[in-house]
Amino acid sequence: MSDSSPLPPVRLHSEAELARDALATPLLSRAVRLARWAGPATRVGAGGELVEEQLATAAAELGLDGEDAAAYASEAWRVAVDTGLVEVVDEEEGTVTAGAELDLVLSGAPQDVLGLWLVALETVLADASVPDLDDLMEAMDEGGEVDFSTLDWDPEAEAEFLDGVLGNLYLLTAGEDGPGEAPVPLPALAASMIVPDDMGEPTNDVLEQVSDAMMRLDDQFRVLEPVGLVDFQPVDEALMADTDEEPAAPVDVPLDDSVDDSVDDADVSRYGMVRLTPLGVYGIRARLLEAGFVAPAVGDLADKGADVLLDGTSVFPPTSAQAETEQWLARRDPLDAARELLAAARGSDKGAPLRRLRCQQALSLVGTEAAPALHEVLDDAELGGLARVWLAERGVPDVPPPSEGMVFWLTVDTIAAQLAAEGNSDELQALVEGLAAQHGSFFAAAWRVDHPATPDVLEAMGRLHPDKKVAKEARKAAFKARSQQGG
């Protein structure tokens, strides 16, 4: 995942909702309870960990029992210390007191609570990259020291692997072609880190690597679920009940973010399913921003100018672009918004056609109260065509017909915008074929259109049209247009 190009925009819940979710997570709520429980008799070790003889009391305070109760209590205490909910008063004596951050739980703003949760998340992510307890016990020497060289464990590589997995899960959640908020099969997520994009049928060696990665992720997501990062359905224990080997990734599950209809959902789910929670989307986005990625959220542009809106949404998928535009419009008077959008849509730079397309899409969300703004630009060479379309679609009377030159200019501008937005799409090819069929002399007139993108548009039409004769006409017209523009 490159940090140079923008990631798909995500829709975030409000900070108030997210803060409530954070306080309700098992791990942070336990940490808060232990911070309130801690008193003069509480003792910690040199690393701030709760002393072993008090773990049972702490677990009872949390209502935990069973063989993992002490481990859960220890983890919650560590989070309480890391987040500042508890402060060590005297390291030698091992005494503690309630930390200054504890007041934020009741009186802090939602952003303060989310700040605590992000610290807790970092603690848990670090834990998730550590080998499991059984491996650590096997690597322990007679003196009780762990020989990490026997573990084949690279802390940096483990952290990078988990970051990559969470980044892919974020992309699948944010992308309009992905599963969105639906859970992702664990084999598919593991495969996204292992299987090369250009690989056809995975080899047995690759499938074995996917299975290994799947089981690592099963362990890691079990650790990450209590902090509220993910909703996770673990790998079915029955798959491993009768064998010492890790279960193989199901070969009939597509190794991508989707599951074919022919594959039984129940069978797939036995291999684990995971999705980011709304809080998890917020957390991963915060980490991506911290790492220098461009990770927009819907609503980021609501208080910006129309120029920023049109340029920003030019790289958004259609649904996200509309959602962002709706939030922008909601803050403005329709007539003022239309005038601002039209002013921002002007220009002859390379990005101008796509700005005008986004402007046209934004104006489609505005009612007839914006009509005066469209009337004002009827004589504008760049905006007159789209203004006539908008007014005609709303049945506004007495709209002057466009000149032939304006029609051709608008056609070139529209194709240039679609090329920028979608590339050589099937929809654009259909448009190109339709234009050539409806207007037999289209290319004879189109090369004269005074638009900066005319040569590129005609070249694209020659590339996209399946009829060799028509394609040749388009390429000849493109050559004439380029010569006319001095290219």
Side-chain angles (χ1 to χ4, degrees):
M1 187 166 58
S2 170
D3 60 358
S4 59
S5 57
L7 299 173
V10 292
R11 300 193 188 202
L12 297 178
H13 288 198
S14 70
E15 287 191 343
E17 291 176 290
L18 293 171
R20 286 194 294 270
D21 289 346
L23 290 174
T25 59
L27 189 53
L28 189 56
S29 62
R30 290 171 186 167
V32 170
R33 288 176 65 182
L34 288 185
R36 290 171 174 159
W37 161 80
T42 307
R43 292 294 180 270
V44 296
E49 73 281 4
L50 200 60
V51 294
E52 188 172 350
E53 54 268 26
Q54 293 189 342
L55 282 175
T57 306
E61 176 67 22
L62 296 174
L64 300 171
D65 54 27
E67 61 181 15
D68 294 326
Y72 290 145
S74 177
E75 182 183 35
W77 179 262
R78 188 166 65 258
V79 167
V81 173
D82 287 352
T83 56
L85 296 172
V86 170
E87 292 180 5
V88 177
V89 176
D90 188 321
E91 293 184 3
E92 291 186 5
E93 294 293 328
T95 54
V96 299
T97 188
E101 305 299 324
L102 185 57
D103 290 339
L104 297 178
V105 174
L106 289 178
S107 60
Q111 197 168 16
D112 297 324
V113 173
L114 290 172
L116 292 176
W117 180 81
L118 287 171
V119 175
L121 175 61
E122 292 303 320
T123 297
V124 178
L125 286 169
D127 288 347
S129 298
V130 174
D132 64 33
L133 184 59
D134 290 340
D135 290 340
L136 290 174
M137 293 299 292
E138 289 179 8
M140 190 174 293
D141 60 25
E142 294 180 358
E145 295 292 326
V146 176
D147 182 4
F148 288 102
S149 64
T150 66
L151 288 173
D152 190 25
W153 176 58
D154 182 340
E156 187 173 336
E158 285 293 327
E160 287 181 0
F161 175 81
L162 185 55
D163 282 345
V165 167
L166 293 173
N168 284 354
L169 192 55
Y170 181 91
L171 286 173
L172 291 170
T173 303
E176 294 194 0
D177 295 330
E181 295 183 1
V184 177
L186 210 57
L189 193 57
S192 72
M193 298 295 294
I194 304 296
V195 182
D197 292 336
D198 57 354
M199 175 174 279
E201 187 70 21
T203 63
N204 288 336
D205 179 61
V206 167
L207 288 174
E208 184 177 347
Q209 292 179 52
V210 171
S211 294
D212 291 342
M214 185 180 75
M215 296 314 299
R216 285 164 64 191
L217 291 175
D218 182 67
D219 290 336
Q220 290 172 325
F221 285 132
R222 289 173 192 259
V223 174
L224 294 173
E225 188 173 33
V227 79
L229 186 74
V230 294
D231 285 331
F232 180 53
Q233 178 180 329
V235 175
D236 187 345
E237 296 287 349
L239 292 172
M240 298 176 285
D242 299 323
T243 177
D244 293 330
E245 297 181 359
E246 295 172 349
V251 294
D252 53 350
V253 175
L255 295 179
D256 55 25
D257 57 283
S258 62
V259 179
D260 191 278
D261 290 340
S262 65
V263 181
D264 186 84
D265 288 346
D267 287 342
V268 171
S269 66
R270 294 186 68 200
Y271 291 86
M273 303 287 284
V274 64
R275 75 175 186 94
L276 286 177
T277 64
L279 187 61
V281 172
Y282 169 85
I284 298 304
R285 177 176 180 263
R287 299 185 85 241
L288 289 168
L289 291 172
E290 181 70 22
F293 287 85
V294 180
V298 173
D300 281 352
L301 308 180
D303 60 348
K304 303 295 191 296
D307 55 340
V308 178
L309 175 73
L310 297 181
D311 282 333
T313 56
S314 66
V315 296
F316 283 17
T319 303
S320 298
Q322 179 170 329
E324 184 70 56
T325 303
E326 286 172 345
Q327 292 199 28
W328 188 89
L329 290 169
R331 297 191 178 196
R332 291 161 177 80
D333 171 78
L335 180 56
D336 292 339
R339 285 177 173 141
E340 189 177 349
L341 287 165
L342 289 164
R346 288 190 175 93
S348 57
D349 57 283
K350 193 171 183 179
L354 187 51
R355 282 203 307 278
R356 281 186 283 273
L357 177 61
R358 293 301 191 208
C359 172
Q360 193 170 5
Q361 292 166 342
L363 290 171
S364 71
L365 304 174
V366 180
T368 54
E369 59 267 41
L374 281 299
H375 277 289
E376 291 165 6
V377 297
L378 284 173
D379 294 330
D380 188 288
E382 296 175 347
L383 305 176
L386 71 84
R388 282 168 170 78
V389 171
W390 189 94
L391 291 167
E393 286 177 345
R394 281 154 184 77
V396 176
D398 301 324
V399 178
S403 65
E404 183 180 66
M406 181 173 284
V407 170
F408 275 93
W409 194 96
L410 182 59
T411 301
V412 169
D413 200 58
T414 300
I415 296 176
Q418 293 191 348
L419 278 169
E422 304 171 6
N424 299 333
S425 65
D426 292 340
E427 292 79 4
L428 185 55
Q429 181 171 340
L431 174 61
V432 167
E433 291 181 36
L435 281 171
Q438 292 171 17
H439 306 281
S441 58
F442 178 83
F443 297 113
W447 70 266
R448 294 183 171 87
V449 174
D450 185 19
H451 191 297
T454 297
D456 292 336
V457 164
L458 291 172
E459 281 183 1
M461 294 182 75
R463 187 171 62 248
L464 290 168
H465 204 288
D467 186 289
K468 291 184 178 180
K469 182 179 178 182
V470 176
K472 185 176 181 180
E473 285 183 53
R475 288 193 295 271
K476 284 183 176 179
F479 178 79
K480 290 180 180 179
R482 203 170 296 285
S483 298
Q484 177 178 260
Q485 293 186 5

